[in-house]
Amino acid sequence: MKRVLSIVCILALTVCCLFAFTSCAKKLSGSYQTEVSLFGQSYTMTYTFSGKNVTVESKTTILGNVNTNTYEGTYEIAETDDGKMEITLNFEGADDKVKSGTYTLEESDEYIKIAGVQYNKVEK
């Protein structure tokens, strides 16, 4: 009986540890956007995070013509050895406008910075 109780306790502790480690994974949620305007032309890029998925929408307006592209992929956030954060983006089949790769990440309540570019939180 003691042996069965010991095994049950060990299994319960193992399950608790697994839940603790999986809940620690850093996630983003919501939409973040940056916009550049110059001489009546504009470029807007929006990252929308939900779970492990990310959707990127780029919108270019030149001389009244609007071109919108949407890319879907996944992301993962990790901490580097020096305590900084990195984000790894993976877009299957995306063209050169949106690249898969690992970039630096900074986060605050109002914005994120990916590879030094600031994207402000979009309130919905």
Side-chain angles (χ1 to χ4, degrees):
M1 184 68 172
K2 288 182 182 180
R3 182 175 174 97
V4 172
L5 186 59
S6 297
I7 291 173
V8 169
C9 288
I10 290 172
L11 287 174
L13 285 173
T14 303
V15 169
C16 288
C17 288
L18 287 174
F19 282 123
F21 288 126
T22 57
S23 67
C24 291
K26 180 73 177 149
K27 299 240 190 280
L28 295 170
S29 68
S31 296
Y32 298 84
Q33 184 176 76
T34 190
E35 183 174 1
V36 177
S37 295
L38 185 64
F39 303 117
Q41 300 176 33
S42 68
Y43 178 74
T44 304
M45 183 172 266
T46 306
Y47 283 86
T48 302
F49 297 94
S50 177
K52 294 191 115 208
N53 298 317
V54 60
T55 302
V56 178
E57 181 180 272
S58 67
K59 180 178 175 183
T60 307
T61 305
I62 300 175
L63 301 173
N65 295 320
V66 179
N67 185 24
T68 303
N69 293 304
T70 303
Y71 307 94
E72 295 185 7
T74 59
Y75 77 98
E76 186 176 311
I77 297 174
E79 190 172 323
T80 63
D81 292 339
D82 58 0
K84 295 182 180 179
M85 290 191 298
E86 290 182 332
I87 187 167
T88 300
L89 302 169
N90 185 17
F91 298 100
E92 295 287 328
D95 58 19
D96 289 338
K97 294 179 183 174
V98 175
K99 296 217 182 262
S100 297
T102 300
Y103 307 96
T104 60
L105 175 69
E106 293 178 43
E107 180 186 18
S108 83
D109 291 338
E110 299 173 9
Y111 67 87
I112 60 171
K113 285 185 181 179
I114 298 175
V117 177
Q118 183 169 318
Y119 298 86
N120 297 316
K121 182 90 172 178
V122 176
E123 300 298 326
K124 293 201 176 195

